[in-house]
Amino acid sequence: MPELSLEITRHIPHPPERVFDAWLDPKMLAKFMVPGPGVTVPEANVDAKVGGQFLIMMRVPQAGDLPHTGEYRVIDRANQLAFTWVSHNSAENSVVTLDFAPKDGGTDLTLRHVRFPSEQSRDDHNGGWTRILDALAGLEVTA
């Protein structure tokens, strides 16, 4: 069976540097890392260096607090960000890669997530990442 993966591209109406920086800013992460209705992020911590860790605590209605953690693998400002993704619904060695490309005064952001334990997990993540990127696109991304 081929490895399960997903890819989503969104145009974000802000320059690549600002969009990239939002992914490494705990205050900004808390605003857009909301994969579903009613989800909040009461805690976000980032050690923004290759080998550094992050924690995004998602508070989910009826499920409680669900930690999402990982380690930064690539930090190439305004070009690429890659990190492992560890959650209650992820596979071992799951990796998310974000590519940032300037376009029309904003950024075309491509998110690739590889290694899922099941098609259901991939489909759930596809919905979650889609909502997260939509939330990011709707934010005023601070400098």
Side-chain angles (χ1 to χ4, degrees):
M1 183 173 167
E3 182 172 88
L4 295 172
S5 64
L6 66 83
E7 183 172 309
I8 305 166
T9 299
R10 281 285 176 286
H11 183 77
I12 311 294
H14 301 290
E17 294 79 10
R18 288 173 57 194
V19 177
F20 181 92
D21 291 349
W23 286 89
L24 298 177
D25 179 338
K27 289 180 181 146
M28 291 302 294
L29 281 172
K31 293 179 182 180
F32 71 84
M33 287 297 285
V34 288
V39 176
T40 59
V41 177
E43 181 182 0
N45 298 302
V46 170
D47 183 11
K49 64 184 179 194
V50 172
Q53 306 282 318
F54 67 85
L55 164 70
I56 301 165
M57 185 65 71
M58 294 182 189
R59 183 162 290 154
V60 180
Q62 278 76 47
D65 288 354
L66 301 175
H68 294 71
T69 62
E71 178 180 305
Y72 295 106
R73 298 263 179 97
V74 175
I75 299 179
D76 181 4
R77 186 167 188 259
N79 295 304
Q80 188 176 75
L81 182 65
F83 47 87
T84 60
W85 186 253
V86 180
S87 75
H88 67 288
N89 196 20
S90 67
E92 189 174 343
N93 297 317
S94 184
V95 176
V96 176
T97 303
L98 304 169
D99 289 305
F100 303 80
K103 185 173 182 189
D104 300 332
T107 304
D108 276 355
L109 174 59
T110 300
L111 179 147
R112 279 185 301 288
H113 190 163
V114 299
R115 296 189 194 95
F116 293 96
S118 66
E119 289 184 11
Q120 181 66 49
S121 175
R122 181 202 51 208
D123 294 347
D124 290 348
H125 277 87
N126 188 61
W129 285 124
T130 296
R131 286 185 283 281
I132 286 166
L133 295 182
D134 289 347
L136 177 59
L139 279 182
E140 181 57 40
V141 180
T142 57

